[in-house]
Amino acid sequence: MKTRWTLLIIVVLAASLLAACAGTAPAANQPIRQINVTGTGKVYVVPDIAYIYIGVRSQADDVATALGQNNRQAQAIADTLQRQGIAAEDIQTTAFNVYPMQEYNQDGTPSKITYVVENTVFVKVRELQKLGEILNAVVEGGANTINGISFDVADRAAAEAEARRLAVEDAKAKANEIAGLAGVTLGALQNINVYSSGGPMPVYEAKGGMAASSSVPIAAGQLVIQADANLSYEIK
């Protein structure tokens, strides 16, 4: 009889222990409550480099004539760029095309085939105050296509670092603000991601300095370098 009572007590204790474990298990698996915020940092800089695509397009009744014309114009442009102080390493050929062009009469019937030669170079201008003068000079030297003028900063490292710092500070401020509004307390930082939002972007409303009045008017304006930060905090 005594043995039966002992076994019964053991079974009851074991069942109680299992029930207690089952009752506390879900709490251990509960997800951590978090606040997720995104911050943005922007730094405005004045560009000191310009990029230009300068090209020559020639058209003639035969390939040899079109090619000869194009070569002479391209060489004249190269000489002009050198006289303007553009280093050889800042001039790069990006496209050279030769193709036939079908021409038509006014009634839509084919008339003849001519040949087109295109030569395009990518030019980096490091003296922005001379940009308008350079554009004038290459057009006078024979360039008949100029595309994609864009601006950049030679050394972005300091501006990018400052943009990242501002992004993190902005995210931290937002997290504290949201926690205060919600009546909770921030815990440990759980996760952080900081990334750049691409290259410098132009600020279109900015008023940049203009080139000399005798040259092509160019406004460099300002560029904005942006970074974003995603932060996740535990809620205590």
Side-chain angles (χ1 to χ4, degrees), residues 42-45 153-166 225-227:
K42 294 182 179 181
V43 176
Y44 295 88
V45 295
V153 180
D155 186 4
R156 304 182 196 169
E160 289 175 343
E162 177 64 8
R164 289 191 293 268
R165 186 189 70 79
L166 292 173
I225 294 177
Q226 179 174 323

Side-chain angles (χ1 to χ4, degrees), residues 173-197:
K174 288 179 179 177
N176 282 295
E177 177 189 0
I178 293 170
L181 293 172
V184 297
T185 302
L186 292 181
L189 180 64
Q190 300 293 309
N191 190 39
I192 180 170
N193 290 301
V194 181
Y195 51 92
S196 172
S197 298

Side-chain angles (χ1 to χ4, degrees), residues 118-129:
E118 297 173 335
N119 190 344
T120 303
V121 293
F122 177 73
V123 180
K124 182 185 294 186
V125 179
R126 299 180 184 273
E127 298 179 82
L128 286 190
Q129 70 275 13

Side-chain angles (χ1 to χ4, degrees), residues 2-236:
K2 184 177 180 181
T3 302
R4 290 181 180 178
W5 278 107
T6 302
L7 290 174
L8 181 60
I9 292 171
I10 292 173
V11 170
V12 171
L13 289 174
S16 300
L17 181 60
L18 289 173
C21 291
T24 58
N29 294 327
Q30 287 183 355
I32 298 175
R33 298 186 303 160
Q34 290 184 334
I35 289 179
N36 301 309
V37 292
T38 298
T40 299
K42 294 182 179 181
V43 176
Y44 295 88
V45 295
V46 177
D48 54 16
I49 288 180
Y51 304 119
I52 323 168
Y53 288 92
I54 300 173
V56 175
R57 185 180 187 276
S58 305
Q59 187 171 353
D61 290 337
D62 60 87
V63 174
T65 302
L67 185 60
Q69 293 174 355
N70 195 279
N71 287 343
R72 287 190 294 273
Q73 288 176 276
Q75 186 59 54
I77 292 170
D79 294 340
T80 299
L81 290 172
Q82 290 181 1
R83 286 195 297 271
Q84 291 292 327
I86 305 297
E89 59 267 25
D90 289 334
I91 305 172
Q92 181 183 26
T93 299
T94 57
F96 183 81
N97 303 307
V98 180
Y99 56 90
M101 176 73 70
Q102 177 68 64
E103 296 189 3
Y104 296 88
N105 297 314
Q106 291 184 349
D107 60 2
T109 58
S111 60
K112 65 176 181 178
I113 294 177
T114 58
Y115 294 88
V116 176
V117 178
E118 297 173 335
N119 190 344
T120 303
V121 293
F122 177 73
V123 180
K124 182 185 294 186
V125 179
R126 299 180 184 273
E127 298 179 82
L128 286 190
Q129 70 275 13
K130 295 181 61 178
L131 181 56
E133 178 185 344
I134 290 170
L135 292 175
N136 267 356
V138 294
V139 170
E140 291 174 358
N144 50 27
T145 61
I146 296 178
N147 300 306
I149 298 178
S150 59
F151 298 95
D152 200 355
V153 180
D155 186 4
R156 304 182 196 169
E160 289 175 343
E162 177 64 8
R164 289 191 293 268
R165 186 189 70 79
L166 292 173
V168 172
E169 291 298 324
D170 183 42
K172 289 167 63 177
K174 288 179 179 177
N176 282 295
E177 177 189 0
I178 293 170
L181 293 172
V184 297
T185 302
L186 292 181
L189 180 64
Q190 300 293 309
N191 190 39
I192 180 170
N193 290 301
V194 181
Y195 51 92
S196 172
S197 298
M201 297 295 294
V203 182
Y204 293 105
E205 68 273 19
K207 295 180 180 179
M210 303 296 288
S213 59
S214 60
S215 303
V216 176
I218 298 295
Q222 284 184 313
L223 300 175
V224 58
I225 294 177
Q226 179 174 323
D228 296 290
N230 295 327
L231 274 62
S232 298
Y233 285 94
E234 179 186 1
I235 298 176
K236 289 185 178 179

